[in-house]
Amino acid sequence: MRKLIVQQWVTVDGIVAEEDGGLSFVSGEPFSEKTEPAFKASVMGLVDSVDTMILGANTYAMAKDYWPYAEEQGEYGEKVNGLTKFVASSELEDAPWGGFPAATVTRDAAATVRELKAQSGKDLWLWGSLTLMRSLLDAGLVDEFRLMVSPVSRGKGTRLFEDRRDLKPIEASAFENGVVILRYAVENQGS
């Protein structure tokens, strides 16, 4: 069965969005020859392990005008743009993605993810989309968290978790750019 992997950028104090909704702590450096090889390999390893991206409506709105045109992101951008995409939205009728195949809009993200997980293929990747992530977590559909921890704290802002969760460590990797990637399996899942 396919897994749903959630990737979130987070500060060391567990903030996923600043008080104003900003993400100034996220590394904005595009992939290039200067990118640390180990970090690049880790990030590319994730994108190579998935074939479908799940986005909430807000994350889609932020991504759709950048990623389809992000030539500076090189191979990573090409792979992100080539993924099958689903956008959870109660309002969108369609979800274009530049010159790439449009995303499919779903009104029932949990049902869509359940259906996708039962199909054959690579894993599913939920990118950002905190509200959607929380609803899928509550539905018992999240299998793994991949936290991209920036070496900063913010003190205030939106926290990743609003409740108690049991996670099982899978892997921790520190990189020269200061980012630490922490991978956790979700325990005590319902369904």
Side-chain angles (χ1 to χ4, degrees), residues 31-52:
F31 274 10
S32 70
E33 305 76 46
K34 294 183 239 171
T35 302
E36 176 190 354
F39 180 73
K40 189 173 186 176
S42 177
V43 173
M44 292 300 283
L46 172 65
V47 82
D48 286 338
S49 73
V50 299
D51 60 12
T52 304

Side-chain angles (χ1 to χ4, degrees), residues 112-163:
T112 298
V113 168
R114 272 190 201 95
E115 185 179 306
L116 290 169
K117 286 177 77 169
Q119 296 172 2
S120 62
K122 294 181 178 182
D123 289 334
L124 314 172
W125 181 19
L126 189 140
W127 210 14
S129 307
L130 191 61
T131 302
L132 176 59
M133 180 275 295
R134 288 177 176 161
S135 71
L136 294 174
L137 184 61
D138 289 344
L141 294 169
V142 175
D143 299 291
E144 181 181 319
F145 278 93
R146 182 182 171 94
L147 305 180
M148 312 275 284
V149 184
S150 295
V152 299
S153 67
R154 289 295 183 261
K156 294 181 180 178
T158 304
R159 299 214 170 272
L160 178 60
F161 298 109
E162 296 180 314
D163 54 4

Side-chain angles (χ1 to χ4, degrees), residues 69-139:
Y69 314 100
E71 293 179 12
E72 70 277 7
Q73 293 285 354
E75 182 185 8
Y76 178 74
E78 290 172 22
K79 289 184 177 193
V80 165
N81 287 319
L83 294 172
T84 299
K85 293 170 192 66
F86 287 83
V87 176
S89 174
S90 59
E91 297 176 12
L92 290 175
E93 292 301 321
D94 58 7
W97 196 266
F100 298 90
T104 301
V105 176
T106 177
R107 304 274 185 247
D108 187 343
T112 298
V113 168
R114 272 190 201 95
E115 185 179 306
L116 290 169
K117 286 177 77 169
Q119 296 172 2
S120 62
K122 294 181 178 182
D123 289 334
L124 314 172
W125 181 19
L126 189 140
W127 210 14
S129 307
L130 191 61
T131 302
L132 176 59
M133 180 275 295
R134 288 177 176 161
S135 71
L136 294 174
L137 184 61
D138 289 344

